[in-house]
Amino acid sequence: NLRSKASARAKGAMAVKVTGEANQMVNNKEQILQQSKQMEVQEMVQNQTRPKALVAQANYDPRTVNYDRTVAAFTKIIWLQDPVNSCRCILMDAMCREYFINFAEGNCGSLISYHLKFIDQVMQIRMAQGALQLKKIRAAHMKRYHNEMFYCTSTEIDYGTLNSMNWGPVFEGIVMWQEQTIFMLASEAFPRFLEHPSSVELITKLRQREAAGEQLPCRTASSGINPQSESFWLDMFRTLSETVSIGMVISDMTVPGIPLVYINEGFKVVTGYGKEKIGCSCRFLQGKETESYLNDEIMAALQQSESLLVKLHNYKANGQKFQCLLALHPVFGPNGEYKYQIGLQLDMVMSADITRQLLEMERLIRYMPHSITGENTEDVIRIIPSDTLGDGTLFPFVGVDPSEVRGAAPASTGGGMGGGAFGGGGGFGGSMMGGGGGGFGAPAPMAGMGGAAPAGQGAEVMQQGKEVVTKKGKGKDQYGRAFGKKQKAAMLEFTKTLWLQDATTSLRNLLQLEVAQQAFLGFLKTEYSEAQLEFFLEAQKLEAMDPVSQAKAAPAVYQMFISAGGKGIGQQERTTATQQMWDYVNAAGGNAVDSQTAMLKIREEAETTLKMLAFDAFPRFVKSKHCQNVLSALQQSGNGKQIEGMLNQVDNTAPQDADDWLNIFVSTAESFPACIVISDMTIPGAPMVFVNQEFCRTTGYAKEEATGRNCRFLQGPDTEPEAIQVIRNTLSKGQDCHVKLTNYRKNGEMFQNLLSMKPVFDADGIYRYVIGVQFEIKEDQNLKQRLVQLDKLLRLLPSKLNLRSKASARAKGAMAVNVSGEANQMITNKEKILQQSKQMEVQEQNHNRPKALVAASGEIPMANLNLDNTIFAFTKIIWLNCPTDIMQGIAMDPVSKELFEKFVSVSSVVYRHHFEFVCQFFQIATAPGQQEQVKLIRKFHMKRNKNSVFYCTSTEINYGSLNQMNWGPVFQEMTQKAQASTAMLASEVLPKFLNSKLGFALINKIRQRELSGQQSALKTVACGLDKNAESFWLDMFRTLSETVSIGMVISDMTVPGIPLVY
C-alpha cells in the first residue's frame, strides 16, 4: 500500500499493458513527464530525509541540444527517398543552386557543371515575367556556344532573324530539356552532393531560413516542428518515417515494456497493423511458428542496445504468416542514455519491388544516426564524410585547370600519353586543322608599316636575343628549351654575317646581270608574283639615270608600284567587311607626289624589297634549276668564276632544312616594323612560337605572355563569328587567309585588326608553319598607303620552302591530315613510320651546322612507362559498362571475392549478406553434378540464421524433414533471388568498390595474373595486348571505346592536322 515516486508512476502510466492492449498514454509522454517532475519536487520537500534512488535520471534540456547534424542526416534520407523531386526543389532555390554548382565544379566533370549552370539560367528565365522573360531567353541564345544553354538544348536558332523569332516553342523546348537535366542530376550528381560536407552546411542554412519564417521549395526534416519541444527529435523521426515505404517503427527504451511510440504507414502495408498499435509491444507480430531462438537474439539486442539484422516468421493482421526481414537500430541521448530502438521491417517475398525495398532499408541503416544529436564518432563519419564520395577509403576527385596542365606540360612535338595518369590528355584543343578553332583566330594588331627599321636595330635585337625571356623562362627559346652556348653563338653569327649582310650584297651584285634578272624572275613566277622584283629592277634603272631623266621617270614608277592599290591575299574566301576595305583603297587611286618625294619612297621600298628577297627567295633560288642555268650561261661566256664563288658561298651557309629557316626568320622578323607572329603546325593546338616586339607594343602582351598560346586569347565578345569561320576554313585547307576582325588588347581596349596568314609548306609538301602579319586599322589619311605597303610585304612572304624538314617532321607530314579533306591511311602505320624516321634522323645529323631551335623531344619507350593507373582507369570504365557480368565474375573468383568481401564488411550489413549469398549461389551453380549441388544447398540451409542464404531468400524450410526435401524449387528461387542480389550489388556497390583502394588492388592483381599467363573470368583492358608496343596505350583505348555506346574518337595531337586515329 505504498506509492512509487512521481517519475516511476509516470512511466508506469505509459507502460505496455500486460493485457496486450495499446496504451494510448504514451502519446502524451511529454505532458506526463512534465507533470511528474513538478510532483517530484513537491514530494522531495515533504520527504527530505528518505533514501535517494539508486538509479539517477539522465535528464537534459532540449533547448541546449544542437540538432544540426541530426537534421542534416534526416533531411538527406528524406530527400533521397524521392531524389528527382528533391533535386528539382533544390534547384528552385538560388542559394541551393549555388552550393550545388560549387560542389560540381570541384567534384564532377564538366558535363554536370554545364547542366547545373543551364538549370540556373532556366530558373532565372522562369522567374522573370512577360517581356523580361523573352529578353532573358534572347540574351542567353545570343551568346551562342559561350553559353551553357547551347550545350544542354537542341533548339535550332537562326541568328539572323532573332528579332522576329517566336520564342514560345523555344521556351517549351528549354523546359523539356530542363526536366531531362533534372533527372540526370538526380540520379548521378545529387546523391554525391549529399555525401559531401557542403550539403550539411546547406541544410543548416536552410533550417535557419525556415526558423526565420521563410517559405522554401526544399524543406528540411525539422520544417514546422518546434525545436524547443522535448519531442523535437521524435517529431522529426515521425516526418522521416512517413517518407519510407517499408515498415518503420520506434520503441521508447525508457518506458517499461518498451512500447511502440510511433508506427509509419509502411508498417501497415507490410503487416496490416496501423497506428492503433502505438503503445503496444511488438510481440503482437509473433505467432506459433515464430522462431524462439531468433526471439532470444532480438531480446539480447534490445537489452544490450545493439544493432541487429534478422529474418523470422511473423504474422500479419489477417493471420497470414510471412517472412519478416527485421533491422534494429538503437538511438542514444546526449548523455549516452539508451533512448530508442528503431525497427525496420519488410516482407521477404519475391517481387518487382524487393530490390528497391532492400536498398531503402540499407540506406536507412547507413544514414540514421545512433545518437539524437548525431555527434558520436560513428555518426560524424557518416554525416560528414572525410572525402567527397562519403567513404574514407576512396580516392578524392582532383579537379585540374586545363590551363595549368598546358603550362606544366613540355611544349614538345612528340609526346605520346606520358605516365598514364587518370585524367588523360583531355579534349581536342582548338587546333588550326579540322575546324577546331584555328591558330590565329584572335590575331593581334599591326602597327603602321611606312618606313624601314632604324639603322642598327637588327644588330641590337640580335644582341638582346642572348637574354631573351619567353613564357618558358629566361634563356629559353619559344619551344621552352634552353639555348646552349654554341647554339646561341652559331645562330647569332649566322644571322649577322650572312643574312643581314652577305645575302643582300650578293643578290644586289647578281641582279646587275641581265641573265640573272631573267632567271630570278622565272623562279619567282613559280612561287608568287614577280612584281616585287620588277619594281626593284625599275628602281635600279632609275638610280642609273641622270638627274633630269630620273625626275621625269620617278613619279610614274611610284604610281605604278607604290601608290597603286592592292588586293591583299586570301581572295578565295573573305568577309564582306574585308573586301569593302580593299574596294575603298582601290577606288581613289594613287596620290600624286613630286619627283623628289617619289624617289625617296622608291629607294626606301626598294631596299626593303631587296632585303626580303635576299632573306627568303634568294637562298632557294640558289638551289633551283634557274640558278644552274645562270651559272651555265656565265661559264660559257667565261665571266662566271667570281659569281659562281659567291653563289656557292651563299649555298653552303644557307639553311639546311625548314627548322634552320625558322631560326633565321625569327631573328630577322624581330626588327620588322610590323606585327609578326609564327605558329608551328606540328605542335598540338598550333601555338605561337614567336611574336616580335611590334606585336608586344601593339597588344600590350609581353613575349612570355603570348608565346606558347593560340592567338584566340585576343578574342572577345564582339569578335565577329564570320571572321573566325573564314580563319578556320582557309587554314584547314592550307590557304592564305586575309580577314578583318575585332580584337582586344591586354587592357581590354578593342581595336580593328586586319589579319593576314600565310601557310608555309616545306619541299615535301608538309604543312610546317603559318606566318601571321597583323595590321591595326586606323582611319587616318595614311591608311591607304599603309595598306598598299602591307600588300607588298605579304607578297614577299613565302608559301613554300625548297627545304626539307627533318626526318621527324617529314614522318609527321606523311601522317598529317590532307588539306583536301581526304582520309590519310598512313596514320594506321604510325609506329613503323616513326621508327624509320628515327633511323633517318641519325643519318641526317650534321654536327657542323647550327642546332635547331626545336630540339627533338626524348620520348620514353612504352615498355619503360608505368601504366598501372591508366589500366585501372580504363578497366574501371569497361567494367561499369557491364556491371552485372563483372559482379558475377567477382563472386566466382577467389581473389576478387576476398577483396570485395573486405569492402562490404565495413560498409553495410545488408550488402555483406547479399554478397555472401551470391558467392554461395555461384558455388552451388558451378558444382559438378546435381548430387553435389543438392549437398551444398542442404549444407547452407542447415546453418539457418548463421548463413546469408537465410537472409536473402524466402524459402520455407522444414528442418525436421530435410532428407525428404525437394530441392529443385529451392534452387529455382535461389536463382531468382541471386539475380536480384547481383543486380543490386552491381548498381549500388560495385561503383563505390571500384573507386576505392581495394578496387585498384583487385585490378592490379588481375593484371599481374594476366602477365603471368593465368586465365581469369575477369579481364583488364590490357589483356592480350603487347605492353612493349609503342601503340600499347592506343590499343587499350581501342578496346575501351568499343564497349561504349556513344560516339568515341581519338585524335593524334602529335601529327599535323590532328587526324583521327580511331
Side-chain angles (χ1 to χ4, degrees), residues 97-331:
R97 288 200 303 273
E98 182 181 358
Y99 268 86
F100 205 168
I101 289 171
N102 290 339
F103 159 79
E105 288 180 342
N107 301 276
C108 300
S110 58
L111 183 68
I112 296 295
S113 294
Y114 268 61
H115 279 267
L116 273 168
K117 291 176 182 176
F118 161 63
I119 291 291
D120 189 46
Q121 286 184 329
V122 176
M123 290 301 178
Q124 292 180 39
I125 291 171
R126 298 188 75 164
M127 286 188 292
Q129 299 294 325
L132 180 59
Q133 189 177 67
L134 295 179
K135 185 178 179 181
K136 284 182 175 290
I137 297 174
R138 188 181 189 280
H141 283 87
M142 279 295 291
K143 294 180 182 179
R144 301 192 181 189
Y145 63 92
H146 296 296
N147 181 49
E148 288 76 16
M149 193 169 290
F150 179 86
Y151 297 96
C152 303
T153 64
S154 57
T155 309
E156 292 289 346
I157 299 294
D158 183 353
Y159 290 96
T161 59
L162 284 183
N163 292 332
S164 57
M165 189 82 179
N166 180 5
W167 293 106
V170 174
F171 180 69
E172 290 174 3
I174 290 172
V175 172
M176 289 175 59
W177 279 106
Q178 176 197 14
E179 287 303 304
Q180 289 294 323
T181 292
I182 290 174
F183 183 81
M184 179 187 71
L185 294 172
S187 61
E188 172 60 25
F190 187 55
R192 292 169 58 191
F193 171 58
L194 294 182
E195 294 279 7
H196 193 265
S198 62
S199 68
V200 178
E201 182 181 335
L202 169 62
I203 292 170
T204 301
K205 287 190 176 182
L206 288 174
R207 186 186 174 204
Q208 293 169 355
R209 290 167 61 186
E210 288 172 342
E214 189 174 348
Q215 295 296 314
L216 300 174
C218 42
R219 298 183 178 183
T220 70
S222 63
S223 178
I225 300 174
N226 179 14
Q228 306 298 320
S229 168
E230 291 213 16
S231 63
F232 177 59
W233 186 95
L234 190 58
D235 291 338
M236 285 197 296
F237 173 87
R238 293 186 178 107
T239 300
L240 179 154
S241 70
E242 293 301 345
T243 68
V244 175
S245 66
I246 63 174
M248 194 171 188
V249 300
I250 188 168
S251 296
D252 192 328
M253 303 304 294
T254 66
V255 176
I258 52 174
L260 295 173
V261 291
Y262 196 73
I263 296 173
N264 77 337
E265 287 301 310
F267 185 81
K268 187 172 184 178
V269 173
V270 174
T271 67
Y273 292 105
K275 292 181 173 55
E276 71 278 2
K277 288 295 184 180
I278 292 176
C280 293
S281 167
C282 249
R283 294 192 196 92
F284 61 83
L285 291 174
Q286 296 177 12
K288 63 179 181 179
E289 292 188 34
T290 300
E291 296 84 350
S292 59
Y293 65 93
L294 295 176
N295 261 337
D296 292 342
E297 286 200 24
I298 294 171
M299 291 305 298
L302 291 173
Q303 292 169 358
Q304 299 171 26
S305 61
E306 293 177 345
S307 299
L308 179 69
L309 181 69
V310 68
K311 188 187 75 171
L312 74 165
H313 283 100
N314 279 154
Y315 290 81
K316 299 185 179 184
N318 61 6
Q320 178 188 352
K321 183 179 68 172
F322 74 102
Q323 291 189 23
C324 176
L325 185 66
L326 168 68
L328 295 181
H329 188 86
V331 179

Side-chain angles (χ1 to χ4, degrees), residues 37 59 66 152 286 426 482 548 554 636 640 693 737 757 843 859 950 987 1010 1026:
K37 288 178 182 178
N59 294 322
N66 184 350
C152 303
Q286 296 177 12
V548 175
Q636 290 174 7
Q693 290 293 340
C737 180
M757 286 180 287
Q843 298 171 6
E859 294 187 25
F950 179 85
S987 64
E1010 290 172 348
D1026 181 4

Side-chain angles (χ1 to χ4, degrees), residues 727-755:
I727 293 169
R728 291 174 177 166
N729 292 345
T730 52
L731 290 184
S732 66
K733 300 172 185 175
Q735 297 174 343
D736 291 349
C737 180
H738 192 62
V739 67
K740 177 185 176 185
L741 75 166
T742 302
N743 280 153
Y744 291 77
R745 306 187 208 276
K746 184 178 180 180
N747 62 7
E749 177 187 349
M750 289 191 299
F751 65 94
Q752 291 298 303
N753 181 19
L754 180 62
L755 169 67

Side-chain angles (χ1 to χ4, degrees), residues 446 449 581-582 674 738 754 756 773-775 785-795:
M446 174 178 172
M449 296 179 55
M581 183 189 62
W582 280 109
H738 192 62
L754 180 62
S756 305
V773 180
Q774 306 183 15
F775 178 90
Q785 180 184 346
R786 290 188 288 113
L787 281 170
V788 171
Q789 290 174 320
L790 169 66
D791 184 62
K792 297 183 185 305
L793 173 63
L794 296 176
R795 297 184 186 286

